């Protein structure tokens, strides 16, 4: 059981990363890209979140304190949430196809995708990532996990606002109709 506890989340995130790398090869040419400074504004919080979740301990003792008891159920609950989130992100990436990019971009022949997971939320990859991180945080059950999820949430919220502005400029009324009928990250919430 020790090996499962030690390596399950690492294996899930590495598997997700491998898929992401392979899928990134087949994308359309970029016609507009966010600045490097803008990109760093959401990459740095992501890296910090992974450090917070992956390190054995952090130098601020309060963040090493547990918010859930030391038991098996938080680990397995977190594993289910993380796996579901990562699979949701992969499902969304498949629907996005050649329009995908790790940065805020517009692609040549960019299409407005509104079916599959994009019929549930406008940014299902972000939803999946947040669920993956939230599951990892639940399994770790320490306050630094909560901080990591909050950092990523605000980082992705900033990124999605930029994406939505660009999508509105590109698709006009069609995007506004889609935006009005579909929540950004969580159905019925926001």
């Amino acid at each position: 059981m020790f090996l499962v506890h030690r390596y399950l989340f690492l294996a899930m995130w590495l598997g997700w990363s491998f898929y992401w790398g392979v899928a990134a090869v087949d994308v359309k040419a970029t016609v507009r890209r966010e600045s490097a400074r803008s990109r760093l504004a959401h990459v740095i919080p992501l890296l910090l979140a992974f450090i917070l979740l992956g390190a054995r301990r952090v130098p601020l003792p309060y963040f090493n304190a547990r918010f859930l008891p030391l038991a098996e159920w938080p680990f397995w609950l977190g594993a289910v949430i993380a796996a579901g989130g990562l699979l949701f992100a992969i499902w969304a990436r498949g629907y996005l196809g050649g329009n995908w990019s790790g940065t805020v971009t517009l692609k040549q022949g960019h299409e407005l995708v509104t079916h599959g997971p994009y019929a549930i939320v406008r940014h299902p990859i972000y939803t999946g990532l947040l669920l993956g991180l939230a599951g990892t945080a639940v399994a770790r059950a320490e306050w630094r996990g909560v901080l990591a999820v909050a950092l990523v949430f605000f980082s992705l919220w900033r990124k999605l606002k930029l994406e939505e502005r660009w999508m509105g400029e590109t698709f006009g009324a069609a995007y506004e109709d889609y935006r009005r009928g579909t929540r950004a990250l969580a159905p019925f919430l926001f």
Side-chain angles (χ1 to χ4, degrees):
M1 192 59 90
F2 173 77
L3 290 177
V4 172
H5 280 230
R6 186 171 183 111
Y7 295 112
L8 178 63
F9 284 85
L10 178 63
M12 284 194 292
W13 282 103
L14 286 176
W16 176 85
S17 297
F18 177 77
Y19 169 79
W20 227 248
V22 169
V25 173
D26 188 29
V27 296
K28 298 175 183 177
T30 299
V31 295
R32 183 180 179 192
R33 180 183 315 266
E34 72 179 314
S35 70
R37 183 177 178 186
S38 175
R39 172 92 172 127
L40 284 174
H42 45 86
V43 169
I44 290 172
L46 280 172
L47 291 174
L48 183 56
F50 279 102
I51 290 168
L52 284 168
L53 287 169
R56 289 196 187 275
R57 308 231 10 109
V58 293
L60 301 169
Y62 177 76
F63 289 110
N64 294 308
R66 300 186 67 79
F67 67 88
L68 291 173
L70 184 58
E72 283 292 310
W73 70 264
F75 178 84
W76 291 110
L77 176 62
V80 168
I81 294 168
L86 294 175
L87 289 171
F88 191 68
I90 288 170
W91 181 40
R93 172 63 183 87
Y95 269 85
L96 204 52
N99 294 309
W100 177 83
S101 174
T103 61
V104 179
T105 61
L106 288 175
K107 298 293 188 171
Q108 200 169 52
H110 205 104
E111 302 164 72
L112 178 59
V113 178
T114 61
H115 54 287
Y118 291 86
I120 301 168
V121 290
R122 294 191 309 272
H123 301 275
I125 291 173
Y126 299 165
T127 299
L129 280 175
L130 286 166
L131 284 170
L133 287 165
T136 305
V138 166
R140 170 141 320 262
E142 295 174 355
W143 286 106
R144 61 179 151 150
V146 175
L147 176 61
V149 173
L151 282 170
V152 172
F153 176 84
F154 289 112
S155 171
L156 292 177
W157 191 260
R158 181 204 160 279
K159 185 179 179 187
L160 79 79
K161 289 300 186 184
L162 177 60
E163 285 180 0
E164 294 202 335
R165 184 166 37 102
W166 287 17
M167 296 297 278
E169 292 168 3
T170 303
F171 296 107
Y175 190 75
E176 185 56 32
D177 289 345
Y178 172 59
R179 194 186 67 72
R180 270 196 303 265
T182 311
R183 297 291 186 180
L185 294 172
F188 313 110
L189 296 176
F190 50 88

